[in-house]
Amino acid sequence: MVDAAEHTMRVRRDGELLATVPVTAGARKTPTYNGRMVITEMLEVTRMNGRTVGFGGEYDIPDVPHAIRLTGSGTFLHGNYWADTGVFGGSNVSHGCVGLRDVKGGGADTPAGWFFDRSLVGDVVEVVNSQDRTVAPDNGLGGWNMNWTKWKAGTAVK
């Protein structure tokens, strides 16, 4: 579970706490969605360009390591080597993604590499205490955020 206010991610497997990892989440003007998001894609390295998600030319990073897709609209949990290391566990500075400390090229011994190596497509990442709304059910596999009555009524496909 990512707690955007505490700047931490608690990683659990079968209910057991494996680690508490410092993170940076979305900044005040570009907060991270709250809610449960399902990992749908895992990329060792990818390019992230703000133009593809409505941020104009604010960023274009050709080699983002350990990129884990959480929504169809472009929310990722990913390695970050370009931010000051003090932001991890201390402040939220991203454009809506969840960032973990990493090194250029991606390091297996970094928090991002550690998490990437222990994750699978289909795992659920929950974000709490962000200033944004709950992720929409049709933005990725966000149906986890619907109540059972709405799910049964078929609103997930409308």
Side-chain angles (χ1 to χ4, degrees), residues 146-156:
M146 296 178 72
N147 69 42
W148 183 240
T149 303
K150 286 185 179 180
W151 178 261
K152 284 190 336 184
T155 57

Side-chain angles (χ1 to χ4, degrees), residues 2 24-26 30-43 46 48-49 52-55 59 64 66-79 94-99 123 125-127 130 132-136 139-141:
V2 173
T24 183
T30 54
T32 305
Y33 290 121
N34 284 295
R36 294 176 192 93
M37 294 167 260
V38 179
I39 295 173
T40 57
E41 182 178 25
M42 297 177 65
L43 304 162
T46 194
M48 292 190 176
N49 184 317
T52 65
V53 290
F55 288 117
Y59 61 89
V64 177
H66 299 119
I68 298 172
R69 181 181 288 276
L70 300 177
T71 69
S73 65
T75 305
F76 280 77
L77 190 154
H78 62 77
S94 84
H95 286 81
C97 291
V98 176
D123 285 348
V125 174
E126 183 174 13
V127 176
S130 175
D132 205 351
R133 64 191 183 280
T134 299
V135 64
N139 188 358
L141 300 175

